[in-house]
Every structure is written in structure tokens, then in C-alpha cells.
Amino acid sequence: MSLSNMRAELKRFGFTQREVAAYLGMSENNFGLKLSEKVSMTIDEAKAIHEKFLPTVKMEYLLQSDGDKPTYEEQLAAYADMVHEHASGPRNAPEAA
């Protein structure tokens, strides 16, 4: 999950995560965690980003989460699980006549 719209718009307008993090008074790493939704972004932080960096972009759009869209790592893990389940499936299947 992530705030991919906010990340993309900041990049499109030429702002770095470091720049935004400094404005908010936090580390670049902490801001990255907020964009990745591993740490919650506060309403005040979202408003400050909107007002200072992205005033022409709708707040609702910026705060849309990609929600259930799996990350690349999650996709790989699901694929590995599927392969494992298939490989360790029933061994005593009836033989064809």
C-alpha cells in the first residue's frame, strides 16, 4: 500500500522527498514510510504538503491509497506460495486407466 498519487505528483512538480521531509521537520526516511503507508500521515501533514507543494492538485486524489494493490514483493511471495502448493499437491492421485 502506498500514497502513490502523492509520490507521483511531488515528482512531477520536481519536489524531492528530502525537500518535503525537511519542510515537515522529519527525516526523509520517516516521510518515505508515510508515503508507503507504513506510518500514518497526519491530517496536518497532508494539509501542509497540499498547501506548500501541491495546491493545484485535489487533496482527495493525493490521499488515495493504492490499497489492496500488492507490492512486487507480495506478488513474488504469492507466486512462490502457488508454486509450492502445486509442487506439494496430492501425490496419490488416481492413475489414468
Side-chain angles (χ1 to χ4, degrees), residues 47-64:
K47 283 181 181 178
I49 293 166
H50 182 252
E51 290 171 4
K52 172 73 175 174
F53 299 99
L54 304 168
T56 61
V57 182
K58 290 189 175 194
M59 178 73 89
E60 294 81 14
Y61 172 76
L62 293 175
L63 295 178
Q64 283 178 352

Side-chain angles (χ1 to χ4, degrees), residues 70-86:
T71 64
Y72 179 70
E73 291 81 9
E74 291 169 334
Q75 291 173 9
L76 287 178
Y79 180 72
D81 289 344
M82 180 186 71
V83 169
H84 177 73
E85 288 175 20
H86 179 72

Side-chain angles (χ1 to χ4, degrees), residues 24 26 30 34 40-50:
L24 296 174
M26 66 180 67
N30 191 37
K34 289 176 183 265
S40 296
M41 184 175 295
T42 68
I43 293 170
D44 289 340
E45 291 165 344
K47 283 181 181 178
I49 293 166
H50 182 252

